[in-house]
Amino acid sequence: VQLEESGGGLVQAGGSLRLSCAASGRSIFSIVAMGWYRQAPGKQRELVGTITSGGSTKYADSVKGRFTISRDNAKNTMFLQMNSLEPEDTAVYYCYGKVRSPYGRDDDYWGQGTQVTVSS
């Protein structure tokens, strides 16, 4: 199973970006949950938000009202719409997925990360 992020880049403060995370692989029966994490230079990786297969979402307080997570279950793809970006949002953003195999086993997978840089 592979998770691949896309959509990162450089944006000015107040701008928007949309990240995508596509899961692929023959061992995917379903994706139980997906999420976004981020890691800024010199800081620990932190949770941005999660989404269940049913579409329930949770967000970190720092991004509530600005970021929105959605997913397309048919395409095993998750999105992160980021609005009103702030320089403090600068980080490498990682996609996470809890994937259930056809045999009923759940495993955690991570993407390689995509850089988001917000200039002031």
Side-chain angles (χ1 to χ4, degrees), residues 4 6 18-23 31 34 36 51 70-79 95:
E4 183 173 2
S6 60
R18 187 183 193 225
L19 306 183
S20 299
C21 171
I31 302 180
M34 300 186 80
W36 292 97
I51 185 168
S70 60
R71 62 188 283 181
D72 183 337
N73 289 334
K75 296 182 179 180
N76 290 332
T77 302
M78 174 180 62
F79 306 96
C95 169

Side-chain angles (χ1 to χ4, degrees), residues 40-61:
K43 295 187 177 181
Q44 290 188 332
R45 190 173 297 189
E46 63 176 5
L47 174 68
V48 175
T50 61
I51 185 168
T52 67
S53 58
S56 297
T57 54
K58 292 183 179 180
Y59 299 95
D61 288 343

Side-chain angles (χ1 to χ4, degrees), residues 75-86:
K75 296 182 179 180
N76 290 332
T77 302
M78 174 180 62
F79 306 96
L80 177 64
Q81 178 66 44
M82 303 185 292
N83 299 327
S84 302
L85 282 161
E86 303 168 352

Side-chain angles (χ1 to χ4, degrees), residues 101-117:
S101 75
Y103 308 102
R105 171 174 168 168
D106 290 351
D107 287 302
D108 297 334
Y109 294 91
W110 292 88
Q112 292 297 310
T114 185
Q115 176 70 46
V116 171
T117 302

